[in-house]
Amino acid sequence: MEREKLTYDELLSEANELRYKLEEANDTIEAIRTGQVDALIVQGEEGHQLYTLKTADQTYRMFIEKMNEGAVTINHEGLILYSNSRFAEMVNIPLEKVIGLAFESFIVEQSRDKFNKVIEAAWDNECKEEIELLSKNRNPVSCLLSCNTLELDEGLALSLILTDLTTQKDAERELKVRNEQLAEAQSATEKLNDELEDTVRDRTVDLLISREHFKLLANNIPQMTWTHLPDGKVNFYNQRWYDYTGLVLEEEGYNREQIIHPEDYPLTMEKFTASLKTGGVFEVENRYLRADGVYRWHLNRAVPLRDETGKIQFWVGTATDIEEQKQQMEKKDEFIGIASHELKTPLTSLKGYLQLISHKKDELPGGVKQYIDKAIMSLNKLQRLVNDLLDVSKIQAGRLEYGLQPVNLTEAVITWTENARHVYPNYNFECNVADGLLINGNDERLEQVLMNLISNAVKYSPANNHVIITASKLNNDVRVAVTDHGIGLSPEQRERIFERFYRVEDKKYMSSGLGMGLYISKEIIANHHGGIGVYSELGKGSTFYFDLPLAG
Ligand code: ADP
């Protein structure tokens, strides 16, 4: 419609009228909001219309005004009849400007169709739907739209409640992420659990098998076997143990004294306690009482089983029946004893005759004289061997007896070294002896010990003829030592050389001997209340020494 031209005055008065109407409208809205009026006149297509908020009393309106949700009332044309401040805030338009606008204009383009359908349906039935509202910064905000019809005097209106779902959506999103993380962690845990279960199952089977293996093995070996804890308490015996001792399972906590021979018990317990303390191998020979009342010799050995930190978990012990070996050894000792005794007498007379002949040197043809000297040398060797054999059997029988008298070891060692120089003229003996070394001893036996050490030093240093002999004070003892620069000994060999008949099995350096010298020496020194030992390094040489208490 074309507007007729208006004069300036007419335009001014129209502008004033419009301003007045605007002020009036603002007042009205304020009045409605604050509950002062219950009705509203809206300019529609059919002219002015009056809307009354029939049911809305002041309390109700105040409540609507204060609520956190956006509350809007629209008419059939979709125009906003009423809005609370929260809705105006949501769409960022002053409250007074919201009234009269089409609600649809606040809906995101893409969800308008959906919105229109909801509104259409809402006139018949109350309904709810999620829609996208154009927010303050024109970004879509998810809202839950709840629609209810509202009966006003001038006809039906729709009440729309808009709940901002942003926080909820954020929370949902967060929850979803967390849930996903949880699910991931859960599946990882489940996988780990499965793996763990598999491992435990495998280990259990392994353990069962190894336990069965152990039992099978333990019950079928000819030895008696046991395991004991670090405190010495036994926690397993094999079947052979029960068969041998005649003890029954219930008597596991048996007293060791019950079955170990009283003579062997103190040494057994001493070694057992020492190995528990040090963690070193337990090894001892003793006699165990069999169920029929007979004692049999056994060799006991127990080794500790340690965990990866080196802590002892338990000990595994075995007792091997060595009764037969012991009896054979006894028979052998007996034979050696008798044989060496029987040999001694004819050897002595043989030597006597040879010495008689050698005294009549002048009457002998030239060549024979030499042979007689060689025969005497061989005979001396043979006598030493027989004497050693006799000593060994005496030691075994506990009959190596001799008296002790005061001995000046300073003089004795010098004399014995001098003797050695005659016996081994090709060797260079260095002798360092301290003054005034007095002891109580048997000089013949001590000479036997030193000569044995010297002859070994000579025998086992084929490439170096320098031997050092020393005698010095060491605390309350005298230490006599013989040092060579020969083949030396490994730690394992060092451990065993004082055993009876032990010889190092090295074909390269094999020389005559029966492995008796050091064994006899050890016994002799023990009878003097002293000790014997060796420092040695393979390929470098050895120092054999013995310590004897100073007289005083
Ligand atoms: P043997 O009669 O065999 O020499 P011993 O009892 O005197 O008997 O010595 C035992 C073993 O110890 C010897 O066979 C030898 O292997 C070793 N042995 C002794 N002394 C020495 C030494 N000085 N150097 C190297 N090995 C030695």
Side-chain angles (χ1 to χ4, degrees), residues 456 459-460 484 489 497 502-504 513-515 517-518 542 544:
N456 279 348
K459 260 200 289 188
Y460 302 108
D484 64 58
L489 292 157
I497 47 169
Y502 177 82
R503 307 202 69 217
V504 173
L514 285 178
L518 290 179
S542 318
F544 281 82

Side-chain angles (χ1 to χ4, degrees), residues 18 24 38 66 117 176 216 261 292 318 367 434 470 512:
L18 280 172
E24 200 179 39
D38 283 345
K66 297 281 174 230
K117 273 186 200 140
K176 201 169 152 229
L216 196 74
H261 194 288
D292 60 1
T318 53
T470 59
S512 65

Side-chain angles (χ1 to χ4, degrees), residues 314-532:
F314 60 91
W315 292 73
V316 181
T318 53
T320 310
D321 190 321
I322 52 165
E323 180 64 30
E324 250 138 61
Q325 287 97 309
K326 277 270 180 190
Q327 281 178 10
Q328 275 171 10
M329 276 293 241
E330 258 170 42
K331 273 192 198 142
K332 193 175 76 184
D333 290 341
E334 207 178 320
F335 171 77
I336 290 172
I338 295 169
S340 48
H341 192 77
E342 291 300 316
L343 281 170
K344 206 175 151 81
T345 328
L347 278 179
T348 316
S349 46
L350 192 60
K351 195 173 175 185
Y353 286 126
L354 281 173
Q355 275 167 344
L356 272 179
I357 299 171
S358 76
H359 284 144
K360 304 213 183 268
K361 276 180 192 156
D362 305 341
E363 299 166 27
L364 294 172
V368 177
K369 231 169 59 185
Q370 259 186 1
Y371 296 142
I372 298 282
D373 285 346
K374 284 202 171 147
I376 289 178
M377 263 165 64
S378 296
L379 202 61
N380 283 341
K381 233 178 173 179
L382 200 60
Q383 265 189 323
R384 276 201 299 275
L385 200 68
V386 169
N387 283 339
D388 277 357
L389 283 170
L390 260 177
D391 281 351
V392 169
S393 47
K394 276 185 198 159
I395 291 169
Q396 284 312 111
R399 281 190 284 105
L400 187 71
E401 289 154 1
Y402 42 84
L404 306 183
Q405 308 95 32
V407 177
N408 183 331
L409 214 53
T410 306
E411 286 168 11
V413 171
I414 294 171
T415 313
W416 298 333
T417 309
E418 204 44 48
N419 293 345
R421 287 193 179 109
H422 285 113
V423 182
Y424 306 105
N426 298 331
Y427 274 73
N428 166 24
F429 294 96
E430 185 184 326
C431 185
N432 302 314
V433 182
D435 285 334
L437 303 173
L438 300 176
I439 58 138
N440 281 319
N442 183 296
D443 56 355
E444 259 174 54
R445 287 297 183 181
L446 292 176
E447 181 180 7
Q448 185 184 348
V449 173
L450 189 72
M451 286 313 283
N452 179 42
L453 297 187
I454 291 175
S455 77
N456 279 348
V458 168
K459 260 200 289 188
Y460 302 108
S461 37
N464 190 315
N465 69 352
H466 186 213
V467 176
I468 306 161
I469 296 153
T470 59
S472 53
K473 270 188 196 166
L474 190 80
N475 305 323
N476 294 326
D477 287 340
V478 181
R479 171 163 288 191
V480 179
V482 178
T483 302
D484 64 58
H485 305 89
I487 60 172
L489 292 157
S490 69
E492 299 77 48
Q493 293 164 353
R494 275 202 314 260
E495 290 252 309
R496 302 201 52 198
I497 47 169
F498 294 99
E499 286 174 20
R500 183 163 56 131
F501 304 131
Y502 177 82
R503 307 202 69 217
V504 173
E505 306 262 340
D506 192 339
K507 296 264 169 355
K508 237 187 339 178
Y509 299 111
M510 234 20 195
S511 52
S512 65
L514 285 178
M516 292 185 291
L518 290 179
Y519 171 71
I520 297 168
S521 302
K522 189 178 128 196
E523 288 298 321
I524 292 172
I525 297 300
N527 283 351
H528 280 76
H529 313 292
I532 192 165

